[in-house]
Amino acid sequence: MEGNYCLYLRKSRADRDAEARGGGETLARHEQTLKALANKMGIKVSTVYREIVSGETISSRPEMMKLLQEIENGVWDGVMVMEIERLARGATIDQGIVAQAFQLSGTKIITPLKIYDPANEFDEEYFEFGLFMSRREYKTINRRIQRGRKAAANEGRYIASTAPLGYKRVKLQNDKGWSLEIVPEQAEIIRLVFDLYVNGERNPDGSINKAGSTKICRILDSMNIKPVSGGLWSPASIRGILRNPVYTGKIRWGYDKYEKVSQNNSVSVKRRRASDCIITQGLHKAIIDEETFNKAQELLKSNSKVSIPSGKKLQNPVAGLVYCKKCGCLMTRLAPASKTPYAALKCPGRYCDNISAPVYLIENKIISSLKMWLDDYKLNIQKNKPAHITFTYENSYIALKKEAAVLKSQLEKTFDLLERGIYDDETFLERNKAIKAKIEECSQAMNKLQELKDSEEKAMSFENSFIPAVKNIVEGYGTIEDAGMKNELLKAVIKRIEYIKETKNTRRKRDIDNFNLDLYPIMPYKQGL
């Protein structure tokens, strides 16, 4: 078979379970099977896409995103896959995106059992039905798995795929499921963390220094004790250990809840802590006694901080926006002091050497950058915006509507001609089918035009609201004194700002903005921006 062909490989849940039981590497076996099929069919495979991440949505599968983009651009004549379910088994909207990409581009789907040609009406229906059934199966399997996990947690079995520091996962003897077994050297680290947090650090003179999560990080780093992931300890990982009841011999399940939210025309997943999670007695031994654990919880509760205390105002106008370009941490505000009578922004990373800068300089540079961006953006729109696009859509739509009306009139005449005996049954069916096909083509073209018009109008509406918003900020930001109001204005048009500064300012040269900011506006860039 002539043309460009590729392979798409992705593991299913059943494949991962089989690998855990020693069933061999799935992607390698599938690649071997599909390449053997390609040789048999005389197909030359140019590229192999291996999806090594597991994701329910297309957006969480980078190889699928890349493949769909190339399919839409007409790069491939066919895609080889073990089953059509490997392409999309998640949300209905994702299945529609996949089906549309293959249908509009005419790209074939080749499996060991069948070749799906989107130009064939029956193959198209079979393909869409297969995706629908795979979605139903996915939902059924997922519900069954969740019920099984909940029951296992209630029985004290360990459900998660990785053990927390201090334990290792072990298979239960003569029973299904897993439990935890203490790793002595790691357990000592856990005991040290709880002891430092609850009892403090003892000095040589016998006095005690309070040890918070940041102090414990420094102590562990100085002792060359590494976390499971390697590198350096973080306060968040210490607090995670202190809050985990697994160290008291308990099982906690459902603590992390993942919710899908729609934001800026895209679906993202947010994590939140659940207060109604399952906590039951586990089958494993405890590392920390209940009394020590409860003392740690009381200290955590008393030491918890809120971003803006009740009755106080936000002081940082760029809060939640500026990130360190070196280590990725969210930059924090340093209040004015005697030596530095101005607020500064610094990276909270203990070992990051990104240099701080005055907040007012960062604000000034953000506004000047927004002004430059706005000027370039407006110039780009002016150069690239097609003229009379609404007029073109309307003219084309009216022409198609007239054509559809003529065709419907012709369709009615076929019945009249049949009744008068001018058409025999065969001629009537043939003409009737041909006219209906043309009416359907007109209807699809009209729907496509309407979608394009709606999309363009939505983009123009967004631009018409976005550009004035940026302009108002550029022109009026300097007149606003309230940091909270400034923060709201900036967050309305900017998603993220990355900051880096390599050189310190010398004395009396504090106002030199020798740092770089990368701004990421909420509205996507157009060509040339």
Side-chain angles (χ1 to χ4, degrees), residues 172-187:
L172 289 171
Q173 294 291 330
N174 304 319
D175 200 356
K176 291 182 180 179
W178 299 79
S179 187
L180 296 172
E181 185 179 291
I182 293 176
V183 179
E185 58 272 20
Q186 292 182 6

Side-chain angles (χ1 to χ4, degrees), residues 41-64:
M41 298 175 67
I43 291 174
K44 184 178 179 182
V45 175
S46 304
T47 304
V48 178
Y49 293 94
R50 299 177 181 86
E51 200 76 76
I52 58 174
V53 298
S54 176
E56 181 184 345
T57 61
I58 289 176
S59 59
S60 61
R61 292 192 271 145
E63 292 300 298
M64 173 53 75

Side-chain angles (χ1 to χ4, degrees), residues 200-435:
E201 182 186 22
R202 187 174 296 277
N203 296 320
D205 61 0
S207 60
I208 301 294
N209 287 338
K210 184 179 178 181
S213 55
T214 302
K215 180 71 177 292
I216 293 173
C217 288
R218 293 196 185 101
I219 293 171
L220 295 178
D221 290 338
S222 67
M223 296 171 68
N224 201 30
I225 296 173
K226 302 292 183 184
V228 175
S229 58
L232 302 172
W233 289 87
S234 69
S237 63
I238 297 298
R239 289 192 293 271
I241 289 173
L242 294 169
R243 290 193 175 103
N244 197 345
V246 73
Y247 295 116
T248 64
K250 299 287 196 304
I251 291 293
R252 181 178 64 186
W253 183 251
Y255 183 57
D256 291 328
K257 296 284 186 180
Y258 295 91
E259 297 176 342
K260 293 179 183 177
V261 294
S262 179
Q263 202 170 30
N264 297 327
N265 295 325
S266 64
V267 178
S268 59
V269 178
K270 288 190 175 182
R271 185 181 71 172
R272 67 174 179 84
R273 303 300 189 190
S275 57
D276 58 345
C277 62
I278 296 172
I279 299 180
T280 59
Q281 184 60 47
L283 301 176
H284 60 282
K285 293 181 180 179
I287 294 175
I288 302 299
D289 61 81
E290 291 279 355
E291 185 182 356
T292 303
F293 183 79
N294 290 335
K295 285 181 180 178
Q297 305 319 296
E298 291 173 8
L299 286 171
L300 283 166
K301 190 174 181 180
S302 64
N303 293 335
S304 62
K305 298 177 181 178
V306 293
S307 299
I308 306 174
S310 178
K312 293 189 177 181
K313 291 185 177 181
L314 182 70
Q315 298 295 315
N316 184 6
V318 293
L321 279 173
V322 185
Y323 291 80
C324 173
K325 195 170 183 179
K326 289 193 172 186
C327 69
C329 286
L330 183 66
M331 304 282 285
T332 57
R333 175 181 176 274
L334 284 176
S338 55
K339 290 185 178 180
T340 54
Y342 54 85
L345 215 62
K346 64 161 285 186
C347 175
R350 298 195 308 278
Y351 303 101
C352 184
D353 60 354
N354 205 354
I355 300 169
S356 62
V359 172
Y360 68 85
L361 282 184
I362 293 174
E363 287 183 272
N364 292 343
K365 197 155 192 172
I366 290 172
I367 298 305
S368 62
S369 298
L370 273 178
K371 186 178 184 304
M372 291 174 59
W373 182 88
L374 181 61
D375 292 340
D376 289 343
Y377 190 87
K378 289 194 291 188
L379 180 64
N380 183 263
I381 289 175
Q382 197 65 33
K383 286 193 301 183
N384 293 292
K385 184 174 288 184
H388 311 299
I389 191 161
T390 303
F391 177 77
T392 304
Y393 283 145
E394 288 178 354
N395 279 1
S396 300
Y397 190 88
I398 291 169
L400 284 167
K401 195 172 181 180
K402 288 180 179 179
E403 185 180 348
V406 171
L407 288 167
K408 286 177 182 177
S409 176
Q410 291 177 1
L411 185 64
E412 291 175 2
K413 286 180 181 178
T414 60
F415 290 93
D416 181 51
L417 292 170
L418 176 66
E419 290 174 357
R420 291 164 56 187
I422 298 173
Y423 279 174
D424 57 20
D425 290 348
E426 186 177 348
T427 305
F428 167 76
L429 291 172
E430 185 178 329
R431 285 290 299 150
N432 191 279
K433 183 178 179 181
I435 294 172

Side-chain angles (χ1 to χ4, degrees), residues 97-157:
I97 291 169
V98 171
Q100 180 176 276
F102 279 93
Q103 288 162 10
L104 295 181
S105 64
T107 307
K108 292 181 175 65
I109 301 170
I110 302 170
T111 72
L113 297 178
K114 181 176 174 57
I115 298 176
Y116 298 88
D117 185 352
N120 184 299
E121 181 182 351
F122 296 104
D123 280 359
E124 179 184 344
E125 289 182 1
Y126 196 89
F127 173 59
E128 291 176 350
F129 180 72
L131 291 180
F132 168 74
M133 290 304 294
S134 69
R135 175 64 179 170
R136 285 195 62 188
E137 183 185 3
Y138 168 82
K139 287 284 190 181
T140 303
I141 291 172
N142 193 50
R143 282 195 297 268
R144 188 166 61 245
I145 288 172
Q146 294 306 320
R147 283 198 301 267
R149 286 175 172 171
K150 187 174 181 179
N154 282 320
E155 293 169 1
R157 305 170 200 269

Side-chain angles (χ1 to χ4, degrees), residues 15-26:
D15 295 329
R16 292 192 291 273
D17 293 342
E19 286 180 5
R21 295 192 299 268
E25 215 291 316
T26 302

